[in-house]
Amino acid sequence: MKAMVLRKQGLIDIFPLNMEEWEIPEPSEEELLVRVSCCAICRTDLHIIEGELPPKRLPIIPGHQIVGVVEKVGGKCKKFNKGDKVGIAWLRKTCENCLFCNTGKENLCENSIYTGYHENGGYAEYTLIDEEYAYMLPKNIDEVRVAPLLCAGIIGYRAWKKTEIIKGQVVALYGFGASAHIILQIAKAKETYVYVVSQNERHQQLAKELGADWVGNTPSKMPELPDASIIFAPNGSLIPPALQYLKKGGKLILAGIYMSDTPPLEYEKHLFYEKQILSVSANTRSDGQELFKEINNMQVNIHVNKASLKDTNHLLQKLKKGVFIGSGVVVID
Ligand SMILES: [Zn+2]
Ligand SMILES: [Zn+2]
């Protein structure tokens, strides 16, 4: 099978992923072999490829927002059959035994592993997944538009739920990439007001088209202080202003798996009045199932930019530079 393989971490500009010919992997008794249809790209792939996240395994095939078709099922699999459509996300496996796993917080599992980081992911013609961690997808779905839901969607959805805001309240989104453009639409469907802070004019334009109630490049100009804010950009310097321009008792959610350091915080200006900061770490499987259920009842418009497998480096480079709006998706021919 053809695969885009990372053997040595390096800046995306030197195209660290190489096209290689690998054996098609054999599923264990609990696993499915999946023929990949497409795999959406994510900023976490960039952090793995460029070395901001330490390598867990090299060589590795990255990619963790995978849609495909079951090609072969392991002997003990009960839920999936050959030909089923399947989604594979970042959370790949948990120990199912630790305190977190036993209390509904498997996203915090002490021994969790991740797709395209600990185990090979979706920038390839075939991949494997334990059937307990695969999402069953309807046969008639638009694969390319569903792929970005598997990380950008699920993690964004978890961040959205953590805000606990309700109809009529205001949420501010910092950064407007793949995840934020999905969450804005969910927030609007829930009849909340959405403000978007972004420096990128094309992202600002998309936010307006999708119904943002205010769009600008600095939170100081927001028409009123938000009840909650979510930072999607991996930029810790956004934390102080996001806290400063937050209502008393407001929540600031950090939706990134990686973020640069935050500058020092001032107690009175940034933290007092019961403001809360909360990060989001991966997702539980029920977050994913809930999101797919929610999305079914809404009109969510996912903007995609497609590329073929051999052009994966190029698409990731465009993500880094903020060249496209919405989500990038690698389509396997
Ligand atoms: Zn665990
Ligand atoms: Zn991701």
Side-chain angles (χ1 to χ4, degrees):
M1 67 172 190
K2 289 189 175 54
M4 291 300 276
V5 179
L6 179 72
R7 289 189 174 270
K8 188 168 181 286
Q9 290 175 311
L11 292 178
I12 196 65
D13 298 316
I14 60 164
F15 284 22
L17 299 176
N18 290 308
M19 175 78 86
E20 295 184 11
E21 192 66 40
W22 279 23
E23 292 272 305
I24 296 175
E26 194 56 37
S28 70
E29 296 217 295
E30 291 83 22
E31 285 180 322
L32 311 169
L33 172 67
V34 175
R35 183 162 45 78
V36 180
S37 308
C38 60
C39 181
I41 65 169
C42 171
R43 205 162 268 282
T44 303
D45 298 328
L46 272 177
H47 300 316
I48 293 167
I49 293 166
E50 296 200 316
E52 281 140 330
L53 292 171
K56 296 291 181 192
R57 172 179 168 176
L58 288 172
I60 185 87
I61 302 169
H64 59 267
Q65 306 188 81
I66 307 162
V67 178
V69 177
V70 176
E71 181 81 15
K72 201 171 176 182
V73 294
K76 289 187 182 158
C77 292
K78 292 190 183 78
K79 295 181 178 166
F80 287 82
N81 293 304
K82 187 175 177 194
D84 283 341
K85 201 161 269 189
V86 63
I88 304 174
W90 171 242
L91 182 76
R92 182 171 193 82
K93 205 166 183 169
T94 59
C95 74
E96 299 178 14
N97 202 22
C98 69
L99 180 67
F100 296 110
C101 283
N102 287 332
T103 52
K105 296 177 186 163
E106 65 179 1
N107 60 309
L108 299 177
C109 171
E110 301 283 10
N111 301 298
S112 51
I113 62 167
Y114 299 99
T115 308
Y117 190 35
H118 296 83
E119 295 288 344
N120 290 320
Y123 299 149
E125 291 178 312
Y126 291 90
T127 195
L128 298 172
I129 183 70
D130 186 307
E131 79 157 356
E132 293 296 330
Y133 291 81
Y135 295 92
M136 180 76 85
L137 300 174
K139 284 221 163 82
N140 59 352
I141 52 132
D142 181 343
E143 298 170 350
V144 171
R145 284 177 207 285
V146 164
L149 294 176
L150 286 156
C151 179
I154 295 177
I155 308 274
Y157 183 67
R158 186 172 176 85
W160 156 259
K161 282 202 303 180
K162 294 278 180 198
T163 66
E164 294 183 321
I165 73 161
I166 54 170
K167 184 176 169 178
Q169 289 188 311
V170 180
V171 62
L173 311 180
Y174 289 79
F176 200 71
S179 200
H181 101 285
I182 296 167
I183 298 314
L184 180 148
Q185 299 178 67
I186 293 177
K188 290 309 298 175
K190 302 253 179 207
E191 298 179 50
T192 61
Y193 295 94
V194 183
Y195 298 167
V196 172
V197 182
S198 169
Q199 308 301 322
N200 181 312
E201 281 177 19
R202 295 186 63 207
H203 290 187
Q204 289 183 355
Q205 187 56 36
L206 178 63
K208 280 182 203 157
E209 284 167 21
L210 294 174
D213 297 281
W214 175 89
V215 177
N217 57 11
T218 165
S220 62
K221 294 183 184 158
M222 291 190 291
E224 65 173 284
L225 295 179
D227 298 278
S229 297
I230 306 174
I231 298 181
F232 290 100
N235 181 356
S237 69
L238 292 170
I239 292 176
L243 286 167
Q244 186 182 348
Y245 296 101
L246 186 63
K247 217 171 260 176
K248 289 180 185 178
K251 288 200 175 87
L252 171 62
I253 314 298
L254 313 177
I257 284 168
Y258 167 84
M259 190 176 246
S260 58
D261 290 343
T262 177
L265 298 173
E266 292 172 41
Y267 187 63
E268 167 74 24
K269 191 169 165 186
H270 300 127
L271 294 166
F272 195 48
Y273 304 116
E274 303 195 344
K275 292 178 185 176
Q276 297 178 54
I277 314 180
L278 202 63
S279 66
V280 165
S281 176
N283 65 282
T284 63
R285 282 169 281 175
S286 61
D287 291 329
Q289 282 142 7
E290 235 178 86
L291 170 70
F292 286 118
K293 217 194 250 170
E294 289 257 33
I295 291 271
N296 256 338
N297 307 318
M298 297 175 185
Q299 199 57 37
V300 176
N301 188 357
I302 309 217
H303 285 244
V304 295
N305 303 266
K306 293 190 252 181
S308 60
L309 185 61
K310 68 175 174 22
D311 294 325
T312 307
N313 285 301
H314 203 77
L315 192 64
L316 284 159
Q317 191 184 38
K318 285 185 179 170
L319 170 67
K320 188 178 179 185
K321 291 182 175 162
V323 172
F324 59 73
I325 54 172
S327 305
V329 180
V330 173
V331 179
I332 317 296
D333 307 313

